[in-house]
Amino acid sequence: MNDSTNDFWIACGHHLLDRDESGGLCVTDEFLKAYFARPELMPPDDACPVERRLHRELLVNPRLPVGAEDIAAIIDADARENWQFVLAFRDLLLRHPTLEAAYLAIIRSGMSDLPPLFVNQLVHVILRNALDDCDDPFVLRAAELFFRPQRILPHEQALLLGDDEVVGGRNPTLVLSLMSMLGAMHDAEVDVMSEETAEGYWQRSDRFDMAFDLTAAGRGPPAVAQVMTRWISHLLGIDVAIEPLRALHDAHLTWYVGLDADATRLGDRLWHGEELDERSAGRVLALFRLTFADASQAMADVRGEPVYLILAMTNDQKLRMKPHNLLTGLPIKHLEMVT
């Protein structure tokens, strides 16, 4: 994949996968074995013989057919559930020619019963493929929004996002490293991605510990727009242009896509002519306008009209982006997703 010295997201396992002629990711035994070697699936000392045998055999042959009766024979209930999930995920990958096709199958079915962890991991590695030639750390950090929940970090007038798992402990009293010289007590410390710190991303991309500045007129919104453009092109084979907006001034919402559940609810209210109160409007983190490179690909009743994209935070100041909304929510005339 990326031939430069600036590799990134190594932990997603992209180096364990192959590519087909169209550039899609093909599952390998090595990739599957990495799942079976996860700590959650390592049989503990008191595991039953059935679980131990299953684990041992799958590490040798990760494509081994496993029947429901084999899982039912595992004594520990938590272990049974873990194996049910991971084998359902494995079987999904094996049913499709590429990981991209497997992901599209999930979202076509309205999202399956797979835990969000597995879906986010798919998004992670697919984005690693779509962004393989990217050399802009701002774009790569923006892509983390697609598969890592974020927490809004209050800091003067800037709109900063930090990885929720990194900064969202029991007492998320975050002090940004640019302030640490003041000697304040803190539970977590991150660097804000800036022109000065961005090059450090290459060494720490798997740590998810750089704060992202989404302030309007900064590098953040265009970086998010670029990731969305790549995501749509990679999975749908459709070229679009996406530009950040400061506000929806008198915009006619012919079509809009909420990039998360809260944004969808806010968009619904605007669609029905409701004016957002100050608190609701304040939850909007970013706005974008999407246009099709080929207008004939859009549905007839919205052809020539822009599509507005809305990104918002929850009441508890978190962002949980739903990247599949970008694929299923666009007004495409014939939604025949690339597989």
Side-chain angles (χ1 to χ4, degrees), residues 7-258:
D7 202 355
F8 60 98
W9 301 348
I10 297 170
C12 75
H14 69 92
H15 56 289
L16 301 175
L17 293 159
D18 292 331
R19 277 181 172 156
D20 68 4
E21 293 181 356
S22 64
L25 296 171
C26 302
V27 72
T28 63
D29 286 0
E30 290 73 22
F31 186 75
L32 295 176
K33 287 178 181 180
Y35 272 92
F36 297 137
R38 288 177 64 94
E40 302 92 325
L41 293 177
M42 292 296 292
D45 294 339
D46 59 350
C48 70
V50 175
E51 183 182 357
R52 289 180 176 278
R53 175 182 55 78
L54 180 63
H55 186 258
R56 184 172 60 250
E57 292 179 349
L58 284 168
L59 284 178
V60 174
N61 178 13
R63 299 172 191 256
L64 179 74
V66 179
E69 66 279 2
D70 298 308
I71 302 300
I74 296 175
I75 293 175
D76 183 78
D78 290 337
R80 281 200 305 273
E81 184 178 55
N82 286 340
W83 280 106
Q84 285 170 344
F85 283 136
V86 77
L87 287 170
F89 182 65
R90 180 204 67 169
D91 292 344
L92 170 74
L93 299 185
L94 293 179
R95 283 197 302 271
H96 298 279
T98 64
L99 268 63
E100 286 86 349
Y103 177 72
L104 290 171
I106 294 173
I107 65 174
R108 281 170 172 165
S109 64
M111 305 304 284
S112 72
D113 295 331
L114 282 174
L117 171 69
F118 289 107
V119 180
N120 286 339
Q121 288 173 346
L122 262 184
V123 172
H124 189 179
V125 74
I126 291 170
L127 271 173
R128 176 60 184 79
N129 190 24
L131 297 169
D132 186 53
D133 61 349
C134 180
D135 59 2
D136 185 342
F138 286 91
V139 173
L140 301 180
R141 177 58 182 90
E144 293 180 20
L145 276 60
F146 283 56
F147 57 89
R148 302 277 300 189
Q150 305 289 308
R151 182 184 292 267
I152 284 68
L153 309 175
H155 178 64
E156 299 176 358
Q157 300 303 311
L159 174 56
L160 300 182
L161 306 180
D163 188 277
D164 188 48
E165 186 174 309
V166 173
V167 304
R170 292 184 179 181
N171 300 300
T173 309
L174 183 77
V175 175
L176 304 175
S177 60
L178 58 86
M179 299 168 58
S180 61
M181 65 184 70
L182 302 178
M185 296 297 292
H186 58 277
D187 297 320
E189 182 177 313
V190 300
D191 288 316
V192 180
M193 180 170 279
S194 64
E195 299 293 345
E196 292 73 30
T197 64
E199 280 303 306
Y201 184 83
W202 302 109
Q203 288 74 45
R204 60 201 288 183
S205 68
D206 284 311
R207 287 159 46 185
F208 306 113
D209 63 352
M210 296 193 83
F212 183 66
D213 190 346
L214 196 57
T215 308
R219 291 283 300 272
V224 174
Q226 186 171 335
V227 180
M228 292 192 290
T229 301
R230 292 260 199 140
W231 180 245
I232 294 168
S233 174
H234 185 73
L235 284 161
L236 300 184
I238 292 175
D239 292 329
V240 298
I242 301 176
E243 58 179 321
L245 301 175
R246 293 289 190 94
L248 292 176
H249 290 307
D250 300 321
H252 179 55
L253 291 185
T254 305
W255 200 279
Y256 64 94
V257 176

Side-chain angles (χ1 to χ4, degrees), residues 304-318:
E305 295 288 335
V307 175
Y308 293 98
L309 312 176
I310 307 171
L311 189 67
M313 64 178 171
T314 63
N315 282 323
D316 58 352
Q317 297 195 314
K318 293 183 181 181

